Amino acid sequence: MSAVPLIRAERLSRVIGGEVPATLVADADLTVEPGAFIAITGPSGSGKSSLLYLLGLLDLPTTGEVYMEGKATSRLDEDARAALRLSRLGFVFQFHFLLPEFSALENVLLPMRALKRLPEDAMRARGLALLGSLGLAEHAHKRPDQLSGGQRQRVAIARALANDPSVILADEPTGNLDTHSTEQVFAILRRLVDEERRAVVIVTHDMALAAQADVQVRIVDGRIVAAG
């Protein structure tokens, strides 16, 4: 176990105001260590994605705190939160959100160009290497509309890995894929955990996939009711 977790959520709550306030997440505690593979499951509308977005600093908690490598994040300004997301986290969603006018490689380069950590030639080399590692070397210069659904999602994974994040957060990443592509994507995520010691936190309705994670967290009505 790491002395300082990659992510630690303490008594995390998210409430949307209005005449009848809605509680999306209530008093959630969760720790993400290096090499963890965590599946968040639960009924539709239970708060799974809301919890993931809080962990990924895409949303702010109403109460509680998210610590990123020991550093509290809720009072950081948006620029500082964005910098943490860009450098430490990778995101994969149900829809790939690739820019249609760009090639697969150009989509993968976008986070690296935003971070400006590497020179252009090193960025392109890394982008090609990532696509190659996901079986997409020959598709690097194709646009998303020239790729299958499974290939597009693998490009999205390569983009998520572009800045070498320690944590991958995936929201229903296989929700739009056929069985074969689902197995491919899950195998890639599993390899990131087993071989590279990255942490993966995945929201999924697929209980067969969730069963293959190391830890299952079940959330109902915004509350974590089981973890193990």
Side-chain angles (χ1 to χ4, degrees), residues 7 30-33 35-41 51-52 55 167-170 186 190 193 198-204 209-210 212-218 227-228:
I7 300 176
L30 188 63
T31 299
V32 181
E33 302 278 357
F37 197 153
I38 299 172
I40 301 175
T41 66
L51 176 58
L52 192 79
L55 296 175
V167 184
I168 299 294
L169 300 165
F186 188 84
R190 181 80 255 180
V193 172
R198 299 182 199 268
V200 171
V201 183
I202 180 172
V203 164
T204 183
L209 289 183
Q212 298 178 59
D214 301 323
V215 176
Q216 291 187 52
V217 174
R218 182 167 177 79

PDB file of all heavy atoms in Angstrom, residues 7 30-33 35-41 51-52 55 167-170 186 190 193 198-204 209-210 212-218 227-228:
ATOM      1  N   ILE A   7      -5.477   9.041  -4.743  1.00  0.00           N
ATOM      2  CA  ILE A   7      -6.685   9.831  -4.485  1.00  0.00           C
ATOM      3  C   ILE A   7      -7.295   9.337  -3.175  1.00  0.00           C
ATOM      4  O   ILE A   7      -7.373   8.126  -2.944  1.00  0.00           O
ATOM      5  CB  ILE A   7      -7.725   9.687  -5.616  1.00  0.00           C
ATOM      6  CG1 ILE A   7      -7.157  10.166  -6.958  1.00  0.00           C
ATOM      7  CG2 ILE A   7      -9.003  10.455  -5.268  1.00  0.00           C
ATOM      8  CD1 ILE A   7      -8.108   9.946  -8.125  1.00  0.00           C
ATOM      9  N   LEU A  30     -13.469   6.969  -0.098  1.00  0.00           N
ATOM     10  CA  LEU A  30     -12.867   6.037  -1.059  1.00  0.00           C
ATOM     11  C   LEU A  30     -11.386   6.363  -1.200  1.00  0.00           C
ATOM     12  O   LEU A  30     -11.001   7.532  -1.254  1.00  0.00           O
ATOM     13  CB  LEU A  30     -13.552   6.160  -2.423  1.00  0.00           C
ATOM     14  CG  LEU A  30     -13.161   5.127  -3.478  1.00  0.00           C
ATOM     15  CD1 LEU A  30     -13.549   3.725  -3.038  1.00  0.00           C
ATOM     16  CD2 LEU A  30     -13.828   5.453  -4.817  1.00  0.00           C
ATOM     17  N   THR A  31     -10.569   5.325  -1.250  1.00  0.00           N
ATOM     18  CA  THR A  31      -9.125   5.476  -1.419  1.00  0.00           C
ATOM     19  C   THR A  31      -8.678   4.757  -2.680  1.00  0.00           C
ATOM     20  O   THR A  31      -9.087   3.613  -2.920  1.00  0.00           O
ATOM     21  CB  THR A  31      -8.370   4.906  -0.201  1.00  0.00           C
ATOM     22  OG1 THR A  31      -8.772   5.631   0.966  1.00  0.00           O
ATOM     23  CG2 THR A  31      -6.870   5.047  -0.374  1.00  0.00           C
ATOM     24  N   VAL A  32      -7.863   5.426  -3.480  1.00  0.00           N
ATOM     25  CA  VAL A  32      -7.334   4.857  -4.717  1.00  0.00           C
ATOM     26  C   VAL A  32      -5.822   4.776  -4.591  1.00  0.00           C
ATOM     27  O   VAL A  32      -5.132   5.797  -4.539  1.00  0.00           O
ATOM     28  CB  VAL A  32      -7.723   5.709  -5.936  1.00  0.00           C
ATOM     29  CG1 VAL A  32      -7.167   5.080  -7.220  1.00  0.00           C
ATOM     30  CG2 VAL A  32      -9.233   5.879  -6.029  1.00  0.00           C
ATOM     31  N   GLU A  33      -5.316   3.547  -4.530  1.00  0.00           N
ATOM     32  CA  GLU A  33      -3.878   3.297  -4.402  1.00  0.00           C
ATOM     33  C   GLU A  33      -3.281   2.950  -5.763  1.00  0.00           C
ATOM     34  O   GLU A  33      -3.987   2.558  -6.691  1.00  0.00           O
ATOM     35  CB  GLU A  33      -3.642   2.120  -3.438  1.00  0.00           C
ATOM     36  CG  GLU A  33      -4.197   2.299  -2.046  1.00  0.00           C
ATOM     37  CD  GLU A  33      -3.292   3.123  -1.157  1.00  0.00           C
ATOM     38  OE1 GLU A  33      -2.198   3.499  -1.616  1.00  0.00           O
ATOM     39  OE2 GLU A  33      -3.679   3.391  -0.009  1.00  0.00           O
ATOM     40  N   GLY A  35      -1.930   0.803  -8.650  1.00  0.00           N
ATOM     41  CA  GLY A  35      -2.219  -0.578  -9.005  1.00  0.00           C
ATOM     42  C   GLY A  35      -3.592  -1.055  -8.604  1.00  0.00           C
ATOM     43  O   GLY A  35      -3.883  -2.251  -8.702  1.00  0.00           O
ATOM     44  N   ALA A  36      -4.469  -0.147  -8.191  1.00  0.00           N
ATOM     45  CA  ALA A  36      -5.839  -0.528  -7.831  1.00  0.00           C
ATOM     46  C   ALA A  36      -6.703  -0.582  -9.087  1.00  0.00           C
ATOM     47  O   ALA A  36      -6.563   0.250  -9.983  1.00  0.00           O
ATOM     48  CB  ALA A  36      -6.425   0.463  -6.838  1.00  0.00           C
ATOM     49  N   PHE A  37      -7.594  -1.563  -9.138  1.00  0.00           N
ATOM     50  CA  PHE A  37      -8.609  -1.630 -10.192  1.00  0.00           C
ATOM     51  C   PHE A  37      -9.960  -1.651  -9.488  1.00  0.00           C
ATOM     52  O   PHE A  37     -10.349  -2.645  -8.893  1.00  0.00           O
ATOM     53  CB  PHE A  37      -8.430  -2.873 -11.057  1.00  0.00           C
ATOM     54  CG  PHE A  37      -9.155  -2.809 -12.385  1.00  0.00           C
ATOM     55  CD1 PHE A  37      -8.685  -3.530 -13.464  1.00  0.00           C
ATOM     56  CD2 PHE A  37     -10.288  -2.041 -12.564  1.00  0.00           C
ATOM     57  CE1 PHE A  37      -9.320  -3.481 -14.705  1.00  0.00           C
ATOM     58  CE2 PHE A  37     -10.942  -1.978 -13.775  1.00  0.00           C
ATOM     59  CZ  PHE A  37     -10.458  -2.706 -14.854  1.00  0.00           C
ATOM     60  N   ILE A  38     -10.655  -0.526  -9.533  1.00  0.00           N
ATOM     61  CA  ILE A  38     -11.896  -0.337  -8.787  1.00  0.00           C
ATOM     62  C   ILE A  38     -13.049  -0.186  -9.766  1.00  0.00           C
ATOM     63  O   ILE A  38     -12.991   0.637 -10.685  1.00  0.00           O
ATOM     64  CB  ILE A  38     -11.805   0.911  -7.887  1.00  0.00           C
ATOM     65  CG1 ILE A  38     -10.671   0.754  -6.881  1.00  0.00           C
ATOM     66  CG2 ILE A  38     -13.140   1.158  -7.163  1.00  0.00           C
ATOM     67  CD1 ILE A  38     -10.381   2.023  -6.090  1.00  0.00           C
ATOM     68  N   ALA A  39     -14.102  -0.970  -9.573  1.00  0.00           N
ATOM     69  CA  ALA A  39     -15.319  -0.857 -10.362  1.00  0.00           C
ATOM     70  C   ALA A  39     -16.412  -0.258  -9.490  1.00  0.00           C
ATOM     71  O   ALA A  39     -16.691  -0.757  -8.394  1.00  0.00           O
ATOM     72  CB  ALA A  39     -15.754  -2.213 -10.886  1.00  0.00           C
ATOM     73  N   ILE A  40     -17.021   0.825  -9.952  1.00  0.00           N
ATOM     74  CA  ILE A  40     -18.149   1.446  -9.259  1.00  0.00           C
ATOM     75  C   ILE A  40     -19.427   1.004  -9.958  1.00  0.00           C
ATOM     76  O   ILE A  40     -19.598   1.218 -11.162  1.00  0.00           O
ATOM     77  CB  ILE A  40     -18.037   2.981  -9.271  1.00  0.00           C
ATOM     78  CG1 ILE A  40     -16.732   3.425  -8.598  1.00  0.00           C
ATOM     79  CG2 ILE A  40     -19.231   3.613  -8.572  1.00  0.00           C
ATOM     80  CD1 ILE A  40     -16.483   4.924  -8.679  1.00  0.00           C
ATOM     81  N   THR A  41     -20.309   0.354  -9.209  1.00  0.00           N
ATOM     82  CA  THR A  41     -21.545  -0.174  -9.778  1.00  0.00           C
ATOM     83  C   THR A  41     -22.737   0.363  -8.994  1.00  0.00           C
ATOM     84  O   THR A  41     -22.589   0.949  -7.924  1.00  0.00           O
ATOM     85  CB  THR A  41     -21.559  -1.708  -9.742  1.00  0.00           C
ATOM     86  OG1 THR A  41     -21.598  -2.152  -8.363  1.00  0.00           O
ATOM     87  CG2 THR A  41     -20.321  -2.292 -10.417  1.00  0.00           C
ATOM     88  N   LEU A  51     -19.922  10.512  -8.543  1.00  0.00           N
ATOM     89  CA  LEU A  51     -18.775  10.197  -7.696  1.00  0.00           C
ATOM     90  C   LEU A  51     -17.489  10.221  -8.507  1.00  0.00           C
ATOM     91  O   LEU A  51     -16.470  10.782  -8.075  1.00  0.00           O
ATOM     92  CB  LEU A  51     -18.963   8.840  -7.029  1.00  0.00           C
ATOM     93  CG  LEU A  51     -17.800   8.328  -6.180  1.00  0.00           C
ATOM     94  CD1 LEU A  51     -17.448   9.300  -5.065  1.00  0.00           C
ATOM     95  CD2 LEU A  51     -18.115   6.938  -5.602  1.00  0.00           C
ATOM     96  N   LEU A  52     -17.518   9.644  -9.709  1.00  0.00           N
ATOM     97  CA  LEU A  52     -16.328   9.621 -10.559  1.00  0.00           C
ATOM     98  C   LEU A  52     -15.889  11.036 -10.920  1.00  0.00           C
ATOM     99  O   LEU A  52     -14.696  11.352 -10.907  1.00  0.00           O
ATOM    100  CB  LEU A  52     -16.602   8.813 -11.822  1.00  0.00           C
ATOM    101  CG  LEU A  52     -15.363   8.459 -12.653  1.00  0.00           C
ATOM    102  CD1 LEU A  52     -14.627   7.284 -12.021  1.00  0.00           C
ATOM    103  CD2 LEU A  52     -15.746   8.111 -14.086  1.00  0.00           C
ATOM    104  N   LEU A  55     -14.117  12.565  -8.005  1.00  0.00           N
ATOM    105  CA  LEU A  55     -12.771  12.012  -7.875  1.00  0.00           C
ATOM    106  C   LEU A  55     -11.832  12.598  -8.925  1.00  0.00           C
ATOM    107  O   LEU A  55     -10.634  12.789  -8.668  1.00  0.00           O
ATOM    108  CB  LEU A  55     -12.803  10.488  -8.008  1.00  0.00           C
ATOM    109  CG  LEU A  55     -13.573   9.700  -6.951  1.00  0.00           C
ATOM    110  CD1 LEU A  55     -13.605   8.225  -7.317  1.00  0.00           C
ATOM    111  CD2 LEU A  55     -12.967   9.897  -5.566  1.00  0.00           C
ATOM    112  N   VAL A 167      -3.602   7.788 -12.676  1.00  0.00           N
ATOM    113  CA  VAL A 167      -4.957   7.282 -12.498  1.00  0.00           C
ATOM    114  C   VAL A 167      -5.739   7.456 -13.797  1.00  0.00           C
ATOM    115  O   VAL A 167      -5.726   8.535 -14.393  1.00  0.00           O
ATOM    116  CB  VAL A 167      -5.704   8.021 -11.365  1.00  0.00           C
ATOM    117  CG1 VAL A 167      -7.092   7.406 -11.145  1.00  0.00           C
ATOM    118  CG2 VAL A 167      -4.906   7.999 -10.072  1.00  0.00           C
ATOM    119  N   ILE A 168      -6.438   6.383 -14.208  1.00  0.00           N
ATOM    120  CA  ILE A 168      -7.371   6.441 -15.327  1.00  0.00           C
ATOM    121  C   ILE A 168      -8.782   6.343 -14.751  1.00  0.00           C
ATOM    122  O   ILE A 168      -9.091   5.406 -14.005  1.00  0.00           O
ATOM    123  CB  ILE A 168      -7.150   5.289 -16.323  1.00  0.00           C
ATOM    124  CG1 ILE A 168      -5.743   5.359 -16.931  1.00  0.00           C
ATOM    125  CG2 ILE A 168      -8.218   5.315 -17.422  1.00  0.00           C
ATOM    126  CD1 ILE A 168      -5.490   6.539 -17.806  1.00  0.00           C
ATOM    127  N   LEU A 169      -9.628   7.297 -15.089  1.00  0.00           N
ATOM    128  CA  LEU A 169     -11.023   7.310 -14.661  1.00  0.00           C
ATOM    129  C   LEU A 169     -11.884   7.075 -15.895  1.00  0.00           C
ATOM    130  O   LEU A 169     -11.809   7.842 -16.864  1.00  0.00           O
ATOM    131  CB  LEU A 169     -11.364   8.645 -14.013  1.00  0.00           C
ATOM    132  CG  LEU A 169     -10.533   8.985 -12.759  1.00  0.00           C
ATOM    133  CD1 LEU A 169     -10.669  10.459 -12.415  1.00  0.00           C
ATOM    134  CD2 LEU A 169     -10.956   8.122 -11.585  1.00  0.00           C
ATOM    135  N   ALA A 170     -12.684   6.014 -15.862  1.00  0.00           N
ATOM    136  CA  ALA A 170     -13.434   5.602 -17.047  1.00  0.00           C
ATOM    137  C   ALA A 170     -14.919   5.491 -16.717  1.00  0.00           C
ATOM    138  O   ALA A 170     -15.310   4.763 -15.804  1.00  0.00           O
ATOM    139  CB  ALA A 170     -12.907   4.258 -17.558  1.00  0.00           C
ATOM    140  N   PHE A 186     -11.419  -3.796 -21.994  1.00  0.00           N
ATOM    141  CA  PHE A 186     -11.202  -4.226 -20.611  1.00  0.00           C
ATOM    142  C   PHE A 186      -9.810  -4.821 -20.444  1.00  0.00           C
ATOM    143  O   PHE A 186      -9.141  -4.578 -19.432  1.00  0.00           O
ATOM    144  CB  PHE A 186     -12.254  -5.240 -20.183  1.00  0.00           C
ATOM    145  CG  PHE A 186     -12.194  -5.561 -18.716  1.00  0.00           C
ATOM    146  CD1 PHE A 186     -12.830  -4.751 -17.792  1.00  0.00           C
ATOM    147  CD2 PHE A 186     -11.462  -6.639 -18.248  1.00  0.00           C
ATOM    148  CE1 PHE A 186     -12.746  -5.019 -16.435  1.00  0.00           C
ATOM    149  CE2 PHE A 186     -11.371  -6.917 -16.901  1.00  0.00           C
ATOM    150  CZ  PHE A 186     -12.018  -6.099 -15.985  1.00  0.00           C
ATOM    151  N   ARG A 190      -7.001  -3.633 -17.826  1.00  0.00           N
ATOM    152  CA  ARG A 190      -6.406  -4.610 -16.906  1.00  0.00           C
ATOM    153  C   ARG A 190      -4.884  -4.595 -17.011  1.00  0.00           C
ATOM    154  O   ARG A 190      -4.170  -4.670 -16.008  1.00  0.00           O
ATOM    155  CB  ARG A 190      -6.954  -5.995 -17.235  1.00  0.00           C
ATOM    156  CG  ARG A 190      -6.485  -7.156 -16.376  1.00  0.00           C
ATOM    157  CD  ARG A 190      -7.241  -7.216 -15.069  1.00  0.00           C
ATOM    158  NE  ARG A 190      -6.448  -6.743 -13.958  1.00  0.00           N
ATOM    159  CZ  ARG A 190      -6.891  -6.702 -12.707  1.00  0.00           C
ATOM    160  NH1 ARG A 190      -8.116  -7.091 -12.417  1.00  0.00           N
ATOM    161  NH2 ARG A 190      -6.125  -6.270 -11.747  1.00  0.00           N
ATOM    162  N   VAL A 193      -3.177  -1.781 -15.175  1.00  0.00           N
ATOM    163  CA  VAL A 193      -3.067  -2.048 -13.740  1.00  0.00           C
ATOM    164  C   VAL A 193      -1.959  -3.049 -13.461  1.00  0.00           C
ATOM    165  O   VAL A 193      -1.065  -2.810 -12.635  1.00  0.00           O
ATOM    166  CB  VAL A 193      -4.412  -2.563 -13.190  1.00  0.00           C
ATOM    167  CG1 VAL A 193      -4.259  -3.029 -11.743  1.00  0.00           C
ATOM    168  CG2 VAL A 193      -5.476  -1.477 -13.281  1.00  0.00           C
ATOM    169  N   ARG A 198      -0.672   1.434 -12.906  1.00  0.00           N
ATOM    170  CA  ARG A 198      -1.574   2.568 -12.853  1.00  0.00           C
ATOM    171  C   ARG A 198      -2.824   2.153 -12.072  1.00  0.00           C
ATOM    172  O   ARG A 198      -3.134   0.967 -11.953  1.00  0.00           O
ATOM    173  CB  ARG A 198      -1.976   3.017 -14.253  1.00  0.00           C
ATOM    174  CG  ARG A 198      -0.805   3.460 -15.111  1.00  0.00           C
ATOM    175  CD  ARG A 198      -1.304   3.945 -16.464  1.00  0.00           C
ATOM    176  NE  ARG A 198      -0.217   3.935 -17.428  1.00  0.00           N
ATOM    177  CZ  ARG A 198       0.574   4.965 -17.673  1.00  0.00           C
ATOM    178  NH1 ARG A 198       0.423   6.079 -16.993  1.00  0.00           N
ATOM    179  NH2 ARG A 198       1.542   4.871 -18.575  1.00  0.00           N
ATOM    180  N   ALA A 199      -3.526   3.116 -11.553  1.00  0.00           N
ATOM    181  CA  ALA A 199      -4.827   2.849 -10.941  1.00  0.00           C
ATOM    182  C   ALA A 199      -5.911   3.105 -11.980  1.00  0.00           C
ATOM    183  O   ALA A 199      -5.815   4.041 -12.774  1.00  0.00           O
ATOM    184  CB  ALA A 199      -5.040   3.736  -9.726  1.00  0.00           C
ATOM    185  N   VAL A 200      -6.924   2.249 -11.973  1.00  0.00           N
ATOM    186  CA  VAL A 200      -8.073   2.413 -12.865  1.00  0.00           C
ATOM    187  C   VAL A 200      -9.341   2.391 -12.015  1.00  0.00           C
ATOM    188  O   VAL A 200      -9.539   1.480 -11.209  1.00  0.00           O
ATOM    189  CB  VAL A 200      -8.133   1.297 -13.929  1.00  0.00           C
ATOM    190  CG1 VAL A 200      -9.456   1.353 -14.695  1.00  0.00           C
ATOM    191  CG2 VAL A 200      -6.961   1.412 -14.899  1.00  0.00           C
ATOM    192  N   VAL A 201     -10.172   3.420 -12.197  1.00  0.00           N
ATOM    193  CA  VAL A 201     -11.479   3.466 -11.561  1.00  0.00           C
ATOM    194  C   VAL A 201     -12.503   3.527 -12.684  1.00  0.00           C
ATOM    195  O   VAL A 201     -12.491   4.445 -13.497  1.00  0.00           O
ATOM    196  CB  VAL A 201     -11.637   4.685 -10.634  1.00  0.00           C
ATOM    197  CG1 VAL A 201     -13.001   4.645  -9.927  1.00  0.00           C
ATOM    198  CG2 VAL A 201     -10.502   4.738  -9.615  1.00  0.00           C
ATOM    199  N   ILE A 202     -13.387   2.530 -12.731  1.00  0.00           N
ATOM    200  CA  ILE A 202     -14.316   2.395 -13.840  1.00  0.00           C
ATOM    201  C   ILE A 202     -15.746   2.359 -13.320  1.00  0.00           C
ATOM    202  O   ILE A 202     -16.049   1.646 -12.360  1.00  0.00           O
ATOM    203  CB  ILE A 202     -13.992   1.122 -14.667  1.00  0.00           C
ATOM    204  CG1 ILE A 202     -14.948   0.961 -15.850  1.00  0.00           C
ATOM    205  CG2 ILE A 202     -13.959  -0.121 -13.819  1.00  0.00           C
ATOM    206  CD1 ILE A 202     -14.564  -0.168 -16.798  1.00  0.00           C
ATOM    207  N   VAL A 203     -16.614   3.150 -13.930  1.00  0.00           N
ATOM    208  CA  VAL A 203     -18.054   3.060 -13.699  1.00  0.00           C
ATOM    209  C   VAL A 203     -18.620   2.140 -14.761  1.00  0.00           C
ATOM    210  O   VAL A 203     -18.342   2.316 -15.953  1.00  0.00           O
ATOM    211  CB  VAL A 203     -18.719   4.454 -13.798  1.00  0.00           C
ATOM    212  CG1 VAL A 203     -20.232   4.319 -13.943  1.00  0.00           C
ATOM    213  CG2 VAL A 203     -18.380   5.287 -12.573  1.00  0.00           C
ATOM    214  N   THR A 204     -19.394   1.132 -14.350  1.00  0.00           N
ATOM    215  CA  THR A 204     -19.937   0.193 -15.317  1.00  0.00           C
ATOM    216  C   THR A 204     -21.251  -0.411 -14.837  1.00  0.00           C
ATOM    217  O   THR A 204     -21.458  -0.606 -13.634  1.00  0.00           O
ATOM    218  CB  THR A 204     -18.928  -0.940 -15.619  1.00  0.00           C
ATOM    219  OG1 THR A 204     -19.473  -1.800 -16.628  1.00  0.00           O
ATOM    220  CG2 THR A 204     -18.604  -1.756 -14.382  1.00  0.00           C
ATOM    221  N   LEU A 209     -17.972  -7.550 -16.120  1.00  0.00           N
ATOM    222  CA  LEU A 209     -16.725  -6.796 -16.123  1.00  0.00           C
ATOM    223  C   LEU A 209     -16.365  -6.365 -14.704  1.00  0.00           C
ATOM    224  O   LEU A 209     -15.205  -6.456 -14.289  1.00  0.00           O
ATOM    225  CB  LEU A 209     -16.839  -5.572 -17.021  1.00  0.00           C
ATOM    226  CG  LEU A 209     -16.903  -5.805 -18.521  1.00  0.00           C
ATOM    227  CD1 LEU A 209     -16.927  -4.458 -19.241  1.00  0.00           C
ATOM    228  CD2 LEU A 209     -15.738  -6.635 -19.013  1.00  0.00           C
ATOM    229  N   ALA A 210     -17.351  -5.874 -13.975  1.00  0.00           N
ATOM    230  CA  ALA A 210     -17.090  -5.422 -12.602  1.00  0.00           C
ATOM    231  C   ALA A 210     -16.508  -6.539 -11.754  1.00  0.00           C
ATOM    232  O   ALA A 210     -15.648  -6.301 -10.900  1.00  0.00           O
ATOM    233  CB  ALA A 210     -18.367  -4.883 -11.971  1.00  0.00           C
ATOM    234  N   GLN A 212     -14.455  -8.669 -12.540  1.00  0.00           N
ATOM    235  CA  GLN A 212     -13.033  -8.890 -12.829  1.00  0.00           C
ATOM    236  C   GLN A 212     -12.138  -7.798 -12.238  1.00  0.00           C
ATOM    237  O   GLN A 212     -10.919  -7.905 -12.303  1.00  0.00           O
ATOM    238  CB  GLN A 212     -12.831  -8.970 -14.339  1.00  0.00           C
ATOM    239  CG  GLN A 212     -13.578 -10.121 -15.001  1.00  0.00           C
ATOM    240  CD  GLN A 212     -13.402 -10.132 -16.502  1.00  0.00           C
ATOM    241  OE1 GLN A 212     -12.281 -10.222 -17.014  1.00  0.00           O
ATOM    242  NE2 GLN A 212     -14.488 -10.015 -17.236  1.00  0.00           N
ATOM    243  N   ALA A 213     -12.750  -6.754 -11.685  1.00  0.00           N
ATOM    244  CA  ALA A 213     -11.966  -5.725 -11.002  1.00  0.00           C
ATOM    245  C   ALA A 213     -11.505  -6.266  -9.656  1.00  0.00           C
ATOM    246  O   ALA A 213     -12.005  -7.271  -9.156  1.00  0.00           O
ATOM    247  CB  ALA A 213     -12.812  -4.471 -10.822  1.00  0.00           C
ATOM    248  N   ASP A 214     -10.537  -5.601  -9.063  1.00  0.00           N
ATOM    249  CA  ASP A 214     -10.014  -6.047  -7.766  1.00  0.00           C
ATOM    250  C   ASP A 214     -10.903  -5.610  -6.609  1.00  0.00           C
ATOM    251  O   ASP A 214     -10.966  -6.271  -5.581  1.00  0.00           O
ATOM    252  CB  ASP A 214      -8.599  -5.492  -7.562  1.00  0.00           C
ATOM    253  CG  ASP A 214      -7.653  -5.948  -8.657  1.00  0.00           C
ATOM    254  OD1 ASP A 214      -7.780  -7.106  -9.092  1.00  0.00           O
ATOM    255  OD2 ASP A 214      -6.809  -5.146  -9.092  1.00  0.00           O
ATOM    256  N   VAL A 215     -11.558  -4.470  -6.774  1.00  0.00           N
ATOM    257  CA  VAL A 215     -12.447  -3.933  -5.739  1.00  0.00           C
ATOM    258  C   VAL A 215     -13.732  -3.482  -6.414  1.00  0.00           C
ATOM    259  O   VAL A 215     -13.692  -2.803  -7.438  1.00  0.00           O
ATOM    260  CB  VAL A 215     -11.803  -2.729  -5.008  1.00  0.00           C
ATOM    261  CG1 VAL A 215     -12.788  -2.127  -4.004  1.00  0.00           C
ATOM    262  CG2 VAL A 215     -10.524  -3.156  -4.302  1.00  0.00           C
ATOM    263  N   GLN A 216     -14.875  -3.882  -5.845  1.00  0.00           N
ATOM    264  CA  GLN A 216     -16.155  -3.391  -6.317  1.00  0.00           C
ATOM    265  C   GLN A 216     -16.747  -2.451  -5.275  1.00  0.00           C
ATOM    266  O   GLN A 216     -16.819  -2.794  -4.100  1.00  0.00           O
ATOM    267  CB  GLN A 216     -17.121  -4.544  -6.568  1.00  0.00           C
ATOM    268  CG  GLN A 216     -16.743  -5.429  -7.742  1.00  0.00           C
ATOM    269  CD  GLN A 216     -17.822  -6.456  -8.039  1.00  0.00           C
ATOM    270  OE1 GLN A 216     -18.992  -6.120  -8.195  1.00  0.00           O
ATOM    271  NE2 GLN A 216     -17.431  -7.715  -8.090  1.00  0.00           N
ATOM    272  N   VAL A 217     -17.155  -1.287  -5.731  1.00  0.00           N
ATOM    273  CA  VAL A 217     -17.814  -0.299  -4.877  1.00  0.00           C
ATOM    274  C   VAL A 217     -19.237  -0.140  -5.398  1.00  0.00           C
ATOM    275  O   VAL A 217     -19.433   0.250  -6.554  1.00  0.00           O
ATOM    276  CB  VAL A 217     -17.071   1.054  -4.917  1.00  0.00           C
ATOM    277  CG1 VAL A 217     -17.850   2.114  -4.148  1.00  0.00           C
ATOM    278  CG2 VAL A 217     -15.668   0.904  -4.354  1.00  0.00           C
ATOM    279  N   ARG A 218     -20.210  -0.468  -4.563  1.00  0.00           N
ATOM    280  CA  ARG A 218     -21.607  -0.346  -4.975  1.00  0.00           C
ATOM    281  C   ARG A 218     -22.205   0.899  -4.331  1.00  0.00           C
ATOM    282  O   ARG A 218     -22.080   1.115  -3.127  1.00  0.00           O
ATOM    283  CB  ARG A 218     -22.412  -1.583  -4.586  1.00  0.00           C
ATOM    284  CG  ARG A 218     -23.871  -1.520  -5.035  1.00  0.00           C
ATOM    285  CD  ARG A 218     -24.559  -2.872  -4.927  1.00  0.00           C
ATOM    286  NE  ARG A 218     -25.966  -2.795  -5.282  1.00  0.00           N
ATOM    287  CZ  ARG A 218     -26.435  -2.750  -6.521  1.00  0.00           C
ATOM    288  NH1 ARG A 218     -25.585  -2.778  -7.536  1.00  0.00           N
ATOM    289  NH2 ARG A 218     -27.735  -2.683  -6.766  1.00  0.00           N
ATOM    290  N   ALA A 227     -18.215  -2.111  -0.341  1.00  0.00           N
ATOM    291  CA  ALA A 227     -16.916  -1.960  -0.994  1.00  0.00           C
ATOM    292  C   ALA A 227     -16.060  -3.137  -0.579  1.00  0.00           C
ATOM    293  O   ALA A 227     -15.922  -3.451   0.601  1.00  0.00           O
ATOM    294  CB  ALA A 227     -16.247  -0.654  -0.595  1.00  0.00           C
ATOM    295  N   GLY A 228     -15.496  -3.835  -1.577  1.00  0.00           N
ATOM    296  CA  GLY A 228     -14.659  -4.974  -1.244  1.00  0.00           C
ATOM    297  C   GLY A 228     -14.427  -5.845  -2.452  1.00  0.00           C
ATOM    298  O   GLY A 228     -14.831  -5.509  -3.547  1.00  0.00           O
TER     299      GLY A 228
END
